[in-house]
Amino acid sequence: MAKPASIKPALSPAQLEDFYRQMVFMRVFEEKTNFTYRQGKSGGYLHVYIGMEPLAVSWLNAIKKGYDYVITAYRDHGHALVLGSDPVAVMAEIMGRSGGLSRGKGGSMHLYDIEKEFFGGWGIVGGHTALGMGLAFAAKYRNEDRVTLCYLGDGASNAGVFFESLNMCGLFDLPIIFIIENNEFAMGTRLEYHAADTELWKRGLPFDIKSERLDSMDAIKTFEDATRIVNWVRENKKPYLVEAMTYRYAGHGAADNDQSLYRTAEEVEKNKQRDPIANLKAYLLENNIMTMEKLEAIDVEAENEVERIYELADASPFPEPHEVYDNVYTDMNPEVGH
Amino acid sequence: MPATLTYREAIRQCLVEEMDRDDNVFLMGEDIGRYQGTFRVTQGLFDKYGPRRVIDTPIVEPAIVGLANGAAMAGLRPVIEMMTMSFSILALDQVINHAAKIHYMTNGQAKCPLVVRGPGGAANQLSAQHSHSVEGWYAHVPGLKVVAPATPEDAYGMLRTAIRDDNPVIFTENPGLYGIKGEIPDDNEFAVPFGKARIAREGSDLTLVGYSRMTHVCLKAAELLAEQGISAEVVDVRSLLPLDTETIFGSVAKTHRAVVVYEDWKSGGFGAEIAARIGENCFDDLDAPVGRVGGLNVPMPYARVLELECIPNEQDVLDAVKKLG
């Protein structure tokens, strides 16, 4: 059950309400993206953040949005939403429409909003960790005090390029925070079947990188941890590694239609005791910060808002066929025709 | 005053001028700084610019290119040296599945102004794992630009174009060319555009198409053919992607015969693509099937005599010309 994150939460009642609103909105939004998949209105691979909401909401509210750099893998909808991307453009991208962030060129796995310093959205497990290092490198090269947040999954924590990047970040003192989202599964392979040492926080130690394991199902505590670590990295201009203990309630992706192959329904139910939204709700009630009426009103508001977003996205036209050649290069066309 | 420089010096000269012009340009690679570069291309640059802009890295090609991709997205202009292009195979994921797709997947929101340069092709008994010609693999990939200059002047002018280009560029330097000398213009804005082939020698009886070091093999073959009374035109492709088919097709329309020469493995190498384009577009102009001379389809052997068997030479070109009839 909910427990106070600290004696004096770093968040004001208004901020707590806002966190609750953002997490509920994210969950309803994600449920809707799964719905679009089931309806055949989106395709390919689609990975939702249900259960993992504090990793986006708490961390991304602890950085300077629109200044600090953010990069993640393919479970990326939530990051775009919190960083302030137009949710209609996010939904439209997932549905492959011209109103999407990339006019339907990226899709669910490849969301980018560069103006908001959100750098995607990547599908090769571990590959983007080196790009995150490059973002941090650029900040240091220009003597800026930007911090880079680079999210990766527990599966990606085994990738060679991630270890290479950790070494270089340690070597070059780059201001980056690697957040390993340990949701206990690399797709359908349980942690203990893919990692020789399941304490993933230790990944940073050989490279002289400050590293720790954090409970990330508690939005308030996660915000406090995030604030502390972001401040440390900004001040010390060095890398940091976090193993964020979390859990996903949905399948790996929308195409994951038999979760019994890797986990039991009981296990999922048990983990729902840790549900970050339910826990924050309980905390807000117990501490008389919000009433049930107010909380329920926010739930209803999220449902209505997501419905409106979905309708607008669904009304966005598909891209024109000739757009297929756009933006292969900045200054020329590729070879045309079959 | 135009200067006479080696190919290696011409590259270095351009790097210096572009670094002086734009602080966003930096160099990164294995042993390029304190050690002065395996082929000495970056000699003296670490002393001149210091560790902020001339960066020695661990031996980790994927992370080097990945770092460059991220830095490029954030507005810097990395120039990466691969100790040899053979090692860039480790970084294929970063080049092909990241760099080449950044502009497209973001629908133009982000750019990746990256240069990956280094020696590609056989040198002298470097054997199987250090002698690859990988330009054809890269030229297969939409989103990349791929160039292979044959002369100091082109190396000097094309590297400038590469560094100022907002797209990822693969810049391959045959190690056999580093020592050759040539004039470069006294102009620190001199740039050779991509997608423009060069007529390296004019002729009327047949067209030899090559790039990088094979351009020089074609030129030697053309001299020998001249002694037999055959006038060969030599087209130095220079830029594989974009490819100047207009110049190639124009030459074939004039000569009616073509032989494509490339050092890469013959089967599936980029010369096969050039030959296919000529076949597809110039059928009515051709008096003979398009000839091809490529590297032998074996891993590069160590013994010099075997290595020389593998690399196309002027005699191989003459034999291919003879086969055209």
Side-chain angles (χ1 to χ4, degrees):
Chain A
M1 271 315 286
K3 50 189 179 307
S6 68
I7 312 282
K8 271 206 304 192
L11 292 157
S12 69
Q15 284 174 309
L16 287 167
E17 178 179 329
D18 191 43
F19 270 40
Y20 181 78
R21 180 177 285 107
Q22 288 186 46
M23 290 208 296
V24 169
F25 174 73
M26 190 178 295
R27 182 160 300 184
V28 177
F29 187 94
E30 291 290 54
E31 281 162 356
K32 199 68 179 180
T33 66
N34 263 337
F35 170 82
T36 66
Y37 187 87
R38 289 195 301 271
Q39 295 293 302
K41 297 219 175 210
S42 60
Y45 293 124
L46 186 148
H47 313 82
V48 297
Y49 221 47
I50 293 171
M52 300 166 67
E53 292 89 352
L55 286 173
V57 172
S58 300
W59 275 95
L60 298 177
N61 280 299
I63 63 167
K64 294 182 185 173
K65 284 190 217 173
Y67 178 67
D68 291 333
Y69 293 141
V70 179
I71 186 165
T72 186
Y74 44 78
R75 202 177 296 283
D76 57 352
H77 309 165
H79 305 79
L81 295 177
V82 180
L83 289 172
S85 297
D86 173 4
V88 177
V90 175
M91 187 67 85
E93 186 62 34
I94 291 165
M95 296 170 73
R97 306 303 177 92
S98 60
L101 287 172
S102 295
R103 291 187 68 83
K105 293 246 176 67
S108 163
M109 294 191 288
H110 305 300
L111 300 176
Y112 305 88
D113 200 337
I114 305 295
E115 261 184 28
K116 301 200 158 48
E117 308 297 0
F118 179 47
F119 287 86
W122 299 89
I124 302 301
V125 169
H128 72 287
T129 58
L131 274 63
M133 163 169 66
L135 296 171
F137 175 90
K140 176 173 172 151
Y141 187 88
R142 291 189 295 238
N143 201 24
E144 298 164 346
D145 72 344
R146 289 184 220 247
V147 169
T148 296
L149 290 197
C150 179
Y151 293 77
L152 61 146
D154 51 289
S157 77
N158 298 314
V161 70
F162 176 53
F163 286 95
E164 295 178 5
S165 300
L166 286 174
N167 178 50
M168 284 173 84
C169 287
L171 183 67
F172 297 153
D173 285 335
L174 300 183
I176 185 167
I177 303 167
F178 289 107
I179 303 172
I180 301 175
E181 302 162 318
N182 184 356
N183 64 19
E184 300 184 25
F185 297 96
M187 210 168 123
T189 301
R190 191 182 286 276
L191 181 63
E192 68 218 54
Y193 299 135
H194 75 66
D197 185 343
T198 56
E199 292 189 56
L200 303 180
W201 67 277
K202 293 182 188 166
R203 293 283 195 265
L205 299 183
F207 308 104
D208 199 21
I209 293 175
K210 266 177 88 88
S211 305
E212 62 184 295
R213 174 182 265 185
L214 298 169
D215 169 20
S216 299
M217 296 302 263
D218 177 333
I220 300 171
K221 180 183 173 298
T222 299
F223 178 75
E224 290 171 351
D225 289 331
T227 304
R228 167 175 58 84
I229 292 166
V230 169
N231 288 343
W232 188 91
V233 170
R234 205 182 304 284
E235 247 168 56
N236 292 278
K237 300 183 188 306
K238 280 175 189 259
Y240 210 104
L241 183 143
V242 167
E243 180 189 13
M245 306 308 284
T246 184
Y247 198 79
R248 64 167 158 77
Y249 299 132
H252 165 72
D256 173 4
N257 54 17
D258 187 1
Q259 295 174 44
S260 70
L261 293 170
Y262 61 89
R263 65 181 177 186
T264 63
E266 293 74 38
E267 178 186 332
V268 177
E269 277 314 304
K270 193 176 154 218
N271 272 287
K272 284 193 175 163
Q273 302 300 310
R274 302 158 70 202
D275 185 332
I277 294 180
N279 280 349
L280 181 60
K281 191 174 193 170
Y283 175 82
L284 294 170
L285 287 170
E286 278 173 23
N287 292 278
N288 297 317
I289 297 168
M290 290 174 70
T291 63
M292 187 57 99
E293 292 70 33
K294 180 69 188 168
L295 289 163
E296 283 174 356
I298 287 174
D299 297 349
V300 171
E301 190 189 307
E303 295 281 351
N304 293 337
E305 178 63 6
V306 167
E307 196 54 37
R308 187 188 69 86
I309 288 161
Y310 167 76
E311 296 293 339
L312 286 172
D314 197 30
S316 173
F318 291 104
E320 295 291 328
H322 66 78
E323 292 182 44
V324 74
Y325 293 117
D326 292 350
N327 294 309
V328 177
Y329 295 95
T330 63
D331 57 353
M332 64 179 223
N333 284 324
E335 291 292 323
V336 172
H338 288 288
Chain B
M1 272 276 289
T4 299
L5 297 183
T6 62
Y7 188 96
R8 162 193 294 117
E9 290 165 341
I11 292 170
R12 188 187 307 141
Q13 172 94 10
C14 180
L15 290 172
V16 166
E17 287 165 2
E18 290 305 292
M19 289 179 78
D20 286 346
R21 182 185 62 84
D22 183 355
D23 185 64
N24 286 326
V25 178
F26 69 94
L27 313 184
M28 184 173 256
E30 296 156 4
D31 277 318
I32 66 163
R34 295 161 183 90
Y35 188 77
Q36 313 293 318
T38 306
F39 286 86
R40 298 291 182 262
V41 172
T42 54
Q43 192 165 46
L45 301 189
F46 182 83
D47 292 337
K48 185 170 165 63
Y49 295 103
R52 174 174 170 267
R53 298 185 70 195
V54 180
I55 302 157
D56 283 322
T57 66
I59 304 169
V60 288
E61 290 80 8
I64 296 168
V65 178
L67 185 154
N69 285 339
M73 283 197 298
L76 300 186
R77 306 191 83 83
V79 180
I80 299 306
E81 176 173 303
M82 283 291 146
M83 190 179 281
T84 95
M85 281 296 179
S86 296
F87 301 166
S88 78
I89 295 170
L90 280 91
L92 282 182
D93 174 59
Q94 285 297 334
V95 176
I96 294 175
N97 229 346
H98 291 83
K101 296 170 181 171
I102 285 170
H103 194 61
Y104 196 71
M105 292 201 300
T106 64
N107 196 42
Q109 295 181 68
K111 293 173 184 168
C112 186
L114 162 72
V115 179
V116 177
R117 52 150 292 272
N124 200 329
Q125 292 191 270
L126 298 185
S127 59
Q129 294 189 313
H130 291 65
S131 302
H132 273 287
S133 298
V134 287
E135 67 281 350
W137 294 5
Y138 292 118
H140 179 61
V141 182
L144 299 180
K145 296 185 183 183
V146 181
V147 298
T151 66
E153 178 178 332
D154 279 350
Y156 177 67
M158 295 183 91
L159 184 57
R160 191 176 329 279
T161 304
I163 292 172
R164 296 185 184 186
D165 201 294
D166 278 338
N167 303 279
V169 178
I170 306 297
F171 189 98
T172 183
E173 306 153 7
N174 190 290
L177 296 175
Y178 281 132
I180 68 164
K181 288 184 175 171
E183 270 196 5
I184 64 163
D186 180 21
D187 174 6
N188 62 13
E189 287 292 313
F190 175 75
V192 175
F194 293 171
K196 287 274 170 220
R198 176 177 71 100
I199 304 289
R201 177 188 175 118
E202 290 205 23
S204 53
D205 296 333
L206 84 142
T207 300
L208 300 177
V209 184
Y211 58 83
S212 192
R213 200 176 74 77
M214 287 300 119
T215 301
H216 301 282
V217 170
C218 289
L219 286 169
K220 270 192 215 151
E223 269 175 41
L224 296 171
L225 287 166
E227 288 168 15
Q228 302 171 22
I230 299 170
S231 166
E233 180 146 296
V234 176
V235 177
D236 175 7
V237 172
R238 300 197 288 194
S239 165
L240 279 57
L241 178 59
L243 180 66
D244 178 7
T245 48
E246 198 183 324
T247 298
I248 297 169
F249 296 166
S251 179
V252 173
K254 184 170 79 173
T255 65
H256 310 296
R257 282 178 165 76
V259 174
V260 184
V261 186
Y262 51 111
E263 184 179 317
D264 191 5
W265 289 309
K266 182 176 179 185
S267 179
F270 194 71
E273 173 69 20
I274 297 174
R277 301 268 192 116
I278 297 171
E280 199 172 30
N281 292 278
C282 308
F283 186 74
D284 290 338
D285 291 322
L286 286 167
D287 288 344
V290 181
R292 274 198 294 154
V293 178
L296 296 189
N297 289 311
V298 300
M300 192 61 78
Y302 166 72
R304 185 61 176 162
V305 62
L306 295 180
E307 181 179 48
L308 288 173
E309 272 301 305
C310 292
I311 307 167
N313 61 29
E314 47 274 24
Q315 190 55 50
D316 299 320
V317 178
L318 295 188
D319 292 348
V321 169
K322 210 171 184 181
K323 277 208 300 195
L324 297 187

